[in-house]
C-alpha cells in the first residue's frame, strides 16, 4: 500500500482523494483480450490462463497467515503453471469471486475488480463459431460475470469495459445495479481522449510549427459532443513520436 509519487499527474491536485483512497483497497485487474480462439475448448483454456495470470499477481496470498490451509491449496491451484489448466468449470466461473474473498480475508477490505474486454471472445465466437459453440462461450462468460459481480459480498466496486452491446444482452441481464457509460455520455466525454487544450499543450511541448499543428488537428480531429472535442490519444502520440 505504498503511496506513489504523483506530482507530475493531474490527480496530484486532489490530495484528499489520494490520501483517502490510494493503496487502501485490494485491486484485481483482469484482461480477456487474448481469450479468442478457434474453438470453445481453446477459449476455455485461454480463460484459465488469464485467471492464472491474475491470481499470480497476488502470489503473497500463498503464505498468508489469515487464510486456512484448504484456501491456500485452492489458491495454489490457480497459480500453478500446469495445474491451472485442470480447473473445473465451477472453479473457472467462480475464480474472481474466490480471489476477491481471499483478498478480503487477507486485507480485511473488499476488492475493486477491473475487467477489460469482457466481450472479446464472445464477439469473435459469434462471428466464427457455430451457434452451439458460440452459446457455450456465452455461457462461460455469463457464469464468470454473475459470480464475480452479482451478490459478491467481497466486492467494493467493479468496472467492466467492452465494445459491443451484443455481449451486454447475453451477460448482464441478471446483474443488479449496473450502470452503463459510453463515449456519448457528456459527463465523461472529455476523459475518453485528449481534449483540445491537451493537444495544443502537446503540440507546444514538441515545438510543432503552427502550419503542421493545423494539419495534425485536421488529420485527427477526433469526436465532437455538445461543442466539446476529444482526440484519439494513440493517434496523437504516434504522430508526435515518429
Amino acid at each position: 500500500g505504498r503511496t506513489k509519487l504523483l506530482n507530475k499527474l493531474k490527480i496530484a491536485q486532489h490530495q484528499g482523494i489520494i490520501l483517502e483512497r490510494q493503496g487502501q483497497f485490494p485491486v484485481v485487474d483482469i484482461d480477456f483480450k487474448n481469450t479468442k480462439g478457434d474453438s470453445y475448448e481453446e477459449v476455455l483454456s485461454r480463460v484459465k490462463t488469464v485467471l492464472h495470470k491474475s491470481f499470480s499477481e497476488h502470489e503473497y496470498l500463498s503464505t498468508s497467515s489469515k487464510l486456512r490451509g484448504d484456501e491456500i491449496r485452492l489458491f495454489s491451484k490457480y497459480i500453478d503453471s500446469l495445474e491451472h489448466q485442470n480447473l473445473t468449470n465451477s472453479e473457472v466461473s467462480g475464480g474472481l469471486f474466490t480471489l476477491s474473498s481471499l483478498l478480503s480475508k487477507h486485507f480485511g477490505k473488499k476488492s475493486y475488480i477491473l475487467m477489460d474486454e469482457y466481450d472479446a471472445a464472445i464477439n469473435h465466437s459469434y462471428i466464427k463459431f457455430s451457434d452451439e459453440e458460440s452459446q457455450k462461450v456465452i455461457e462461460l462468460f455469463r457464469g464468470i460475470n454473475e459470480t464475480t459481480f452479482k451478490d459478491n459480498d467481497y466486492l467494493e466496486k467493479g468496472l467492466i469495459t467492452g465494445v459491443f452491446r451484443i455481449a451486454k444482452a447475453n451477460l448482464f441481464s441478471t446483474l443488479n445495479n449496473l450502470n452503463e457509460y459510453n463515449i456519448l455520455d457528456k459527463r465523461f466525454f472529455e476523459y475518453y481522449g485528449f481534449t483540445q487544450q491537451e493537444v495544443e499543450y502537446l503540440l507546444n511541448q514538441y515545438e510543432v510549427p503552427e502550419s503542421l499543428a493545423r494539419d495534425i488537428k485536421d488529420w485527427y480531429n477526433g469526436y465532437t459532443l455538445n461543442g466539446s472535442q476529444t482526440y484519439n490519444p494513440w493517434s496523437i502520440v504516434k504522430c508526435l513520436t515518429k
Side-chain angles (χ1 to χ4, degrees):
R2 291 181 301 172
T3 301
K4 296 179 180 178
L5 296 177
L6 300 173
N7 293 336
K8 295 183 179 180
L9 303 178
K10 283 187 176 181
I11 195 172
Q13 302 169 12
H14 306 279
Q15 288 295 316
I17 295 176
I18 294 173
L19 294 174
E20 180 183 356
R21 311 296 290 183
Q22 188 187 13
Q24 298 303 308
F25 297 89
V27 177
V28 177
D29 183 16
I30 189 161
D31 186 351
F32 287 114
K33 175 180 62 178
N34 294 320
T35 57
K36 294 178 286 187
D38 295 326
S39 67
Y40 166 75
E41 293 300 329
E42 185 175 351
V43 170
L44 177 59
S45 175
R46 294 189 175 194
V47 168
K48 292 177 180 179
T49 298
V50 169
L51 286 173
H52 164 70
K53 181 178 181 296
S54 288
F55 271 73
S56 296
E57 291 174 353
H58 303 276
E59 192 168 353
Y60 53 86
L61 291 176
S62 62
T63 57
S64 173
S65 61
K66 305 289 182 64
L67 303 182
R68 302 190 310 267
D70 61 313
E71 292 173 327
I72 291 177
R73 287 192 294 273
L74 175 59
F75 177 79
S76 297
K77 188 174 181 179
Y78 286 91
I79 66 172
D80 188 283
S81 58
L82 297 177
E83 185 66 17
H84 74 272
Q85 284 297 328
N86 295 324
L87 291 168
T88 66
N89 288 342
S90 62
E91 288 170 340
V92 171
S93 62
L96 295 178
F97 175 90
T98 296
L99 182 54
S100 61
S101 70
L102 298 180
L103 288 169
S104 178
K105 290 183 179 181
H106 180 77
F107 290 104
K109 294 184 178 181
K110 297 182 180 182
S111 297
Y112 280 78
I113 298 180
L114 313 178
M115 182 183 292
D116 195 14
E117 298 210 37
Y118 76 91
D119 55 354
I122 293 173
N123 290 299
H124 178 79
S125 70
Y126 183 77
I127 297 171
K128 300 292 185 179
F129 291 6
S130 66
D131 290 345
E132 181 179 358
E133 285 272 288
S134 179
Q135 188 60 38
K136 290 170 71 175
V137 174
I138 291 170
E139 292 296 333
L140 169 64
F141 282 92
R142 177 185 287 132
I144 292 172
N145 282 278
E146 286 187 351
T147 55
T148 302
F149 298 111
K150 184 179 181 181
D151 299 327
N152 183 351
D153 292 333
Y154 307 105
L155 177 68
E156 178 70 19
K157 186 172 289 188
L159 175 66
I160 309 165
T161 64
V163 178
F164 299 116
R165 289 195 174 194
I166 178 175
K168 177 189 172 187
N170 284 297
L171 290 180
F172 298 139
S173 58
T174 62
L175 298 189
N176 302 319
N177 303 318
L178 180 68
N179 296 317
E180 180 184 2
Y181 306 105
N182 59 44
I183 195 171
L184 298 180
D185 192 312
K186 63 182 180 181
R187 292 172 296 173
F188 307 107
F189 179 71
E190 65 180 290
Y191 304 111
Y192 282 99
F194 288 154
T195 63
Q196 182 74 35
Q197 293 76 15
E198 289 169 335
V199 170
E200 290 174 358
Y201 170 80
L202 289 172
L203 294 174
N204 288 332
Q205 288 294 107
Y206 278 82
E207 300 180 347
V208 176
E210 185 175 344
S211 59
L212 180 56
R214 286 196 299 268
D215 288 337
I216 290 175
K217 292 177 184 178
D218 288 338
W219 297 335
Y220 308 114
N221 58 8
Y223 314 93
T224 302
L225 180 69
N226 295 334
S228 298
Q229 191 168 31
T230 64
Y231 294 78
N232 185 310
W234 186 90
S235 298
I236 294 296
V237 170
K238 289 293 288 185
C239 178
L240 292 176
T241 55
K242 280 185 177 180

